[in-house]
Amino acid sequence: MPSPAPYRTLKRPPPGGVPRVRSHRIFGQLAFVVLVMLAIGVGALAGLIFVYSSNLPQVSELFDYRPDVMTQVYADDGTIIGSFALQRRVMVTYNQIPPVLRNAIISVEDRHFYSHFGIDVLRIVRSAIVDVVEWRYYEGASTLTQQLSRTLFLTPQKSFRRKIREALLAIQIERHFTKDQIFTMYCNIIPWGAGSFGVAAAAERYFGKHLNQLTLPEAALLAGLPRNASYYSPLRYPRRAILRRDEVLAAMLNNGKINAEEYRKALTAPLGLHVQKWNEEKAPYFIDYVRQFLLDKYGAQEVNTGGLRVYTTLDPRLQEIALRTLRAGLRADDKRRGWRGPEKNILKHLIYSADGTPETLETYSDPDWGSPILPGSRINGLVMRVTDDYAVVRFEDLRAHLAPADFAWTKAATPASVFLPGDVDLFHITSITGDRVHATLDQYPSVQGAILVLDNKTGEIKAMVGGYEYARSQFNRAVEAERQVGSSFKPYVYSEALLEGWRPFDRILDEPVSYGNWSPHDYDDKYEGSITLLRALAESRNVPAVRLLSRIGIDRVIRLCRQFGITSRLVPNLPLALGASSLTLIEHTSAYTTFPDDGLHIEPRPILRVADDYGRVMDDFPPQVSEVLPGGVDRVMISMLREVVNSGTAVHARSLAAQYPVAGKTGTTNDFTDAWFIGFSPSTTCGVWVGFDDHHPLGKGEEGSHVALPIWMDFMSQALKSEPVQNFPDSPILTSPDQVKQILASAGSTGGLPQSSPLAQNVPGNSVPIAAPPVTPVSAATPPHNQP
């Protein structure tokens, strides 16, 4: 039997041998796992990138991208007077962005902007570490390019998917555009709060400045807004805005963009806001008129989003004078009709606060008190107490004592006759000393009016006010209201008479006459017998005007009116001579510019030119000129209208005429429902209308010479101050027929008819009685007579 095999002697492994082999194995396994996980991560990331990039917007679309840009309206001196927009945006180029603003934005929003490729990897890592370690959201890591891609192509909703798409889009944008182009797009497109889009619009909104006028603190304030324009709004949260501004200044200091001295000085600067209200237009009626013109020509899309630059004819100085004088005239006219009483009484008709309790004399706060109370303003006040000698009125924390002299226009003898505790009335603040106010009682006019100012040589609209206050009524009475014009129509009749060969010293009968069932009357029911045409027009006699129209022919006058630019319907009957047809103020005033323009009519125009948002002119609007009257006839008409001011119904303006040659015509309709004055100097024509929107009478004696003429005089006396005195060439005040011959001879004309015409052979000075012609149908609705 074989012997068993001996046991093998096993060698003891060397110390550490087994662990080394095992550690290699573990390391290899870990490496394998890491590589697998990395591959999975890379694959997943590649898959995510593939998925999220498969339907990304095409960045190439940015080459043709055109953001909504607001249309801006400029006055004739280049100042902005209005704008139209869905988004309030002003586009600028890179070179128009000042270095101080560029440095501020880049320092606080993306300090590595000029070195990264669309995403800032270091900033992302740092932000992620801080978020994880401190378990809070520390800061965003979006670059300017990412913010731009988000605004243009994505939603603001926070999600992992959006962040990846945002980064991918940013990289694509960086591939297609230069850094300067990206920065410019950012500054033009990002919202900056308070309804402004783009930094240029923000500068105008908050500071009323162009970008190149910004100071360091102002630039820093704007640069801090894109992070959260609502939270850091200087309008709502000024303290937050200052803190954010200071953060921007610190970032600029750390980046070496400003020095320590500039930093310290900027920290002490106040906000310095000069807020511009987008809807606070300086000439709202005119702006509406321009807007409608643009809408008709270019359409709403182009007007509201196309960034048009509209250069208008408006003169801001004349516009301000027109507004001020019209309001003063309407207030004066309204007060002649007396005190209408308080707007409300909070003790009789309770007003409740937000918590449901009724307001008291101590707790009531009027909406007018939300704005600074300044001398010259007209605001509501609350009557607190009434004594025998005065009434105590509160304006927030200010007090006024109104004595009888402060409400004398009401013709009330004592304060108790006018005031009761709890009354809310309108007052005119004349001065403020400490907490004491001096004020006078006022009231909003119920009467309305309009004023229009035209440049005679160009037809440019220099001022337009369509009502007492745009906020209360947007109806533009200067262009939309058709009102009977009264005797201000007569110059068209007399112009046609001169064309037919009549002369100012020819005579006509001012005696009763009937045309069927209608008999015209003079406003004073007196008759002067045989009078010259010159006197008949100056005194605005009605019967001679009707007699003249019946002789020269209604159709002829209507045709002439069309040449004057009048487009409204003219009723072809004899009361037409008395202004029974209705015209708008703009066409009536424009027609009168024919006289000082030597017989030429130029269509009224509000716009000089329109350019696109790059400044390229799209349309010019040159004057549209037509010949209406021969020079000689026109100059004679000016002389006749000067006599209206010299001795006629506008004689109150004679003192003004002594300084500046002026002419014009009053107009008052039957029952005093409309008051007019349209007059001109050699350079400017101004038309004024006053009346009630519902056509009820202004009151007995409220004629054009009493209501509209003072407004016209007030305007012209201020408007002409800055101009050299001009004269009417060859249009003197007429005193003899020889002057008429000289005027016509100097113009190389004897009038509208040849000398062989029977009318042209009328001997000046001889009476030319006119019998009543055959009956002309007269509408029963036509006023039987008219006022001067």
Side-chain angles (χ1 to χ4, degrees), residues 228-388:
N228 191 327
S230 297
Y231 184 82
Y232 295 113
S233 169
L235 305 182
R236 300 178 59 191
Y237 308 110
R239 180 60 184 164
R240 294 178 188 173
I242 288 179
L243 292 175
R244 177 60 175 162
R245 180 201 68 182
D246 294 349
E247 288 180 14
V248 177
L249 292 170
M252 295 180 73
L253 178 64
N254 293 335
N255 286 349
K257 301 302 182 182
I258 58 175
N259 58 41
E261 178 60 28
E262 291 173 318
Y263 172 70
R264 285 192 296 268
K265 185 177 180 180
L267 286 178
T268 62
L271 277 179
L273 298 180
H274 186 62
V275 180
Q276 306 297 302
K277 295 183 179 178
W278 291 123
N279 59 350
E280 190 175 33
E281 295 162 341
K282 297 180 180 179
Y285 290 106
F286 178 76
I287 295 298
D288 274 358
Y289 181 63
V290 168
R291 178 189 288 113
Q292 190 56 56
F293 179 92
L294 295 172
L295 289 173
D296 291 343
K297 185 169 182 63
Y298 300 109
Q301 182 71 17
E302 184 69 14
V303 171
N304 292 324
T305 67
L308 303 180
R309 301 179 188 180
V310 184
Y311 298 92
T312 74
T313 61
L314 191 86
D315 184 321
R317 183 183 72 90
L318 296 183
Q319 176 68 23
E320 182 181 352
I321 296 172
L323 178 62
R324 185 171 62 246
T325 55
L326 179 67
R327 286 182 172 178
L330 294 181
R331 285 194 296 266
D333 179 74
D334 186 73
K335 288 177 180 177
R336 286 197 291 268
R337 276 180 286 280
W339 169 240
R340 293 192 300 273
E343 294 191 9
K344 59 187 173 184
N345 187 293
I346 67 167
L347 301 182
K348 291 182 178 180
H349 305 283
L350 298 181
I351 297 177
Y352 293 91
S353 62
D355 60 5
T357 59
E359 297 280 11
T360 67
L361 294 177
E362 289 72 28
T363 63
Y364 175 79
S365 181
D366 194 88
D368 280 3
W369 302 344
S371 301
I373 300 174
L374 302 172
S377 58
R378 286 178 166 79
I379 62 171
N380 284 338
L382 177 66
V383 179
M384 305 291 288
R385 182 163 54 93
V386 181
T387 72
D388 292 338

Side-chain angles (χ1 to χ4, degrees), residues 18-302:
V18 173
R20 186 179 297 115
V21 173
R22 189 174 299 161
S23 64
H24 282 305
R25 186 180 298 116
I26 293 173
F27 176 77
Q29 292 173 346
L30 287 175
F32 177 76
V33 170
V34 169
L35 289 174
V36 170
M37 295 299 295
L38 185 60
I40 293 173
V42 171
L45 180 60
L48 287 173
I49 292 174
F50 175 77
V51 171
Y52 291 147
S53 63
S54 60
N55 59 350
L56 279 178
Q58 294 298 313
V59 172
S60 58
E61 294 176 3
L62 278 177
F63 287 108
D64 300 319
Y65 177 73
R66 189 169 181 267
D68 292 349
V69 182
M70 66 178 174
T71 290
Q72 292 187 307
V73 184
Y74 298 86
D76 67 355
D77 63 354
T79 58
I80 297 175
I81 56 173
S83 59
F84 320 131
L86 299 178
Q87 293 182 346
R88 303 287 176 173
R89 187 191 315 275
V90 179
M91 300 291 285
V92 293
T93 64
Y94 181 81
N95 290 331
Q96 290 175 311
I97 304 169
V100 64
L101 182 59
R102 293 201 296 264
N103 292 335
I105 294 172
I106 291 173
S107 294
V108 74
E109 287 294 330
D110 190 359
R111 64 183 299 177
H112 300 126
F113 174 69
Y114 282 101
S115 60
H116 63 63
F117 57 92
I119 57 176
D120 190 340
V121 177
L122 292 177
R123 191 176 177 190
I124 293 173
V125 172
R126 185 185 64 173
S127 177
I129 292 173
V130 172
D131 290 351
V132 172
V133 171
E134 300 189 9
W135 201 247
R136 65 185 178 91
Y137 180 76
Y138 174 70
E139 64 175 6
S142 294
T143 63
L144 291 182
T145 317
Q146 287 177 272
Q147 294 178 47
L148 180 63
S149 66
R150 181 196 316 153
T151 302
L152 289 172
F153 300 114
L154 305 174
T155 67
Q157 181 182 5
K158 294 182 178 180
S159 67
F160 180 72
R161 180 177 186 271
R162 193 216 71 191
K163 292 297 292 184
I164 292 181
R165 289 166 61 85
E166 178 184 293
L168 294 173
L169 285 169
I171 295 172
Q172 288 192 40
I173 290 174
E174 293 272 350
R175 290 175 55 204
H176 286 82
F177 297 93
T178 67
K179 290 290 186 179
D180 290 353
Q181 289 174 324
I182 294 170
F183 185 79
T184 304
M185 284 191 285
Y186 177 90
C187 288
N188 282 327
I189 292 171
I190 296 294
W192 297 75
S196 54
F197 290 78
V199 71
E204 290 183 7
R205 179 75 164 99
Y206 295 116
F207 301 112
K209 291 183 176 182
H210 297 298
L211 291 182
N212 60 2
Q213 299 172 315
L214 292 175
T215 64
L216 171 60
E218 292 167 346
L221 178 70
L222 292 178
L225 293 177
R227 173 183 282 188
N228 191 327
S230 297
Y231 184 82
Y232 295 113
S233 169
L235 305 182
R236 300 178 59 191
Y237 308 110
R239 180 60 184 164
R240 294 178 188 173
I242 288 179
L243 292 175
R244 177 60 175 162
R245 180 201 68 182
D246 294 349
E247 288 180 14
V248 177
L249 292 170
M252 295 180 73
L253 178 64
N254 293 335
N255 286 349
K257 301 302 182 182
I258 58 175
N259 58 41
E261 178 60 28
E262 291 173 318
Y263 172 70
R264 285 192 296 268
K265 185 177 180 180
L267 286 178
T268 62
L271 277 179
L273 298 180
H274 186 62
V275 180
Q276 306 297 302
K277 295 183 179 178
W278 291 123
N279 59 350
E280 190 175 33
E281 295 162 341
K282 297 180 180 179
Y285 290 106
F286 178 76
I287 295 298
D288 274 358
Y289 181 63
V290 168
R291 178 189 288 113
Q292 190 56 56
F293 179 92
L294 295 172
L295 289 173
D296 291 343
K297 185 169 182 63
Y298 300 109
Q301 182 71 17
E302 184 69 14

Side-chain angles (χ1 to χ4, degrees), residues 441-456:
L441 181 64
D442 211 327
Q443 66 182 5
Y444 281 106
S446 58
V447 67
Q448 278 291 354
I451 185 169
L452 187 79
V453 182
L454 298 172
D455 182 273
N456 295 334

